Amino acid sequence: MFEIVGKQLRRVDLIELHGRIDSNVAAQLEESFKAITEAGRFRIVVDMEKLEYVCSRGLRALIATLKETRRWNRGDVRLCNVPPRIQGVLDLAGFTPLFKIYDNTVDAVGSF
Amino acid sequence: MLRELHVKSKMENLSVISEFVASAASEFGLDEDQTFAVLMAVDEACANIIEHAYGGNSDGTIDIRCELHNDEVVVKVHDHGKAFDPQSVLPPDLAAPLDEQEERCLGLYLMFKLMDSVRFEFDEVKGNTLTMVKRRHGVKPAVCA
């Protein structure tokens, strides 16, 4: 099972990831991020509370979007509610230092 | 103990593979963290086989065999797709700047980090066999591509 729930808040796009992101569905994640940045919105919070698994292609989608949003200092991708196992994958991939990571959604959204 | 799964090389089958591996790993006594590691390594391996070895052709076959030998869970993934040289795949540079991060060969790197050993064998007639081992107990040695 995999689901992306997107909410456009006043200053931020909140993306909730549910379930399992493998290579079969990672393209949907890429498209969701692309839809936001192509609409000219570059402040994104990714809520990972319900995320059970993310493959390397899903991780690459996160990094690609991070690069896109930070260009010309116009925004950022910030993570919150990262489960320990997903945090472990971010650590292994060397991505933890690249992202600002928050304990909860309120802090992540409020950080912008 | 032995468990086997035979599937076609379709991305849709990654979830089937994942369920199979999780079930076998649990049956073989791996804890949840170890099961997650095996599940991710096999998922990355099979995604690579589908995308690169078979070039997206969904008629290929992937055979997965999980065995328990003493305290080692051995996962063998067999395919008849295109061979590759693992040595030609550069490990990612974890200190690379953000601009270069996207191009990293993460999947293979993660497989080596998650498992206790990873071995590729390529045979034009018999096909390709990836053998990965996860120990049920003990400390993981530092193994990298």
Side-chain angles (χ1 to χ4, degrees):
Chain A
M1 197 250 352
F2 167 64
E3 190 182 8
I4 300 172
V5 180
K7 295 174 186 169
Q8 193 178 339
L9 308 179
R10 197 162 54 89
R11 289 169 45 82
V12 178
D13 278 80
L14 177 62
I15 299 283
E16 294 173 5
L17 303 180
H18 296 245
R20 184 186 138 78
I21 301 177
D22 60 21
S23 287
N24 189 38
V25 299
Q28 292 176 45
L29 182 63
E30 292 164 2
E31 289 304 314
S32 295
F33 283 139
K34 208 170 163 188
I36 294 170
T37 55
E38 285 186 350
R41 305 194 304 273
F42 301 101
R43 290 187 290 261
I44 301 173
V45 168
V46 181
D47 184 347
M48 297 185 161
E49 185 176 13
K50 300 283 167 50
L51 182 62
E52 295 166 10
Y53 174 72
V54 59
C55 68
S56 60
R57 187 172 168 185
L59 292 173
R60 280 198 298 270
L62 277 171
I63 286 296
T65 311
L66 184 68
K67 283 168 61 174
E68 183 67 15
T69 56
R70 283 189 182 169
R71 189 168 296 151
W72 304 306
N73 285 323
R74 59 191 175 182
D76 200 5
V77 175
R78 295 179 183 171
L79 313 180
C80 65
N81 299 318
V82 182
R85 260 189 213 112
I86 303 297
Q87 181 65 63
V89 173
L90 292 172
D91 289 345
L92 265 188
F95 287 174
T96 301
L98 301 177
F99 288 96
K100 288 183 178 170
I101 300 176
Y102 296 84
D103 289 342
N104 57 67
T105 314
V106 172
D107 286 351
V109 170
S111 70
F112 281 104
Chain B
M1 292 174 83
L2 169 68
R3 295 275 304 273
E4 287 182 285
L5 176 73
H6 310 283
V7 292
K8 289 287 186 187
S9 54
K10 297 177 183 175
M11 287 293 186
E12 294 94 311
N13 281 333
L14 289 175
S15 57
V16 176
I17 293 167
S18 177
E19 281 175 28
F20 164 77
V21 172
S23 164
S26 171
E27 187 182 327
F28 292 171
L30 292 185
D31 65 26
E32 287 188 6
D33 286 340
Q34 290 173 317
T35 297
F36 183 88
V38 175
L39 192 150
M40 181 162 202
V42 175
D43 182 69
E44 293 291 345
C46 291
N48 280 344
I49 289 169
I50 295 166
E51 188 177 353
H52 301 298
Y54 285 119
N57 179 354
S58 59
D59 288 334
T61 56
I62 301 176
D63 303 314
I64 302 170
R65 191 181 167 105
C66 298
E67 300 169 42
L68 179 64
H69 297 297
N70 298 318
D71 269 341
E72 290 185 342
V73 173
V74 180
V75 183
K76 292 189 177 186
V77 185
H78 187 257
D79 70 86
H80 287 274
K82 197 171 63 178
F84 79 104
D85 177 9
Q87 301 300 323
S88 70
V89 180
L90 293 173
D93 178 3
L94 296 183
L98 180 57
D99 280 351
E100 294 168 25
Q101 295 285 334
E102 197 181 348
E103 310 306 325
R104 305 185 323 178
C105 300
L106 255 186
L108 195 60
Y109 171 79
L110 289 172
M111 286 161 55
F112 277 91
K113 294 295 282 186
L114 291 163
M115 301 298 282
D116 290 308
S117 79
V118 175
R119 187 175 81 244
F120 291 93
E121 294 164 277
F122 302 100
D123 186 301
E124 282 187 16
V125 179
K126 294 179 188 166
N128 313 315
T129 305
L130 163 65
T131 304
M132 299 190 285
V133 176
K134 190 75 178 171
R135 274 189 288 275
R136 287 200 291 185
H137 305 289
V139 180
K140 179 188 180 307
V143 178
C144 190

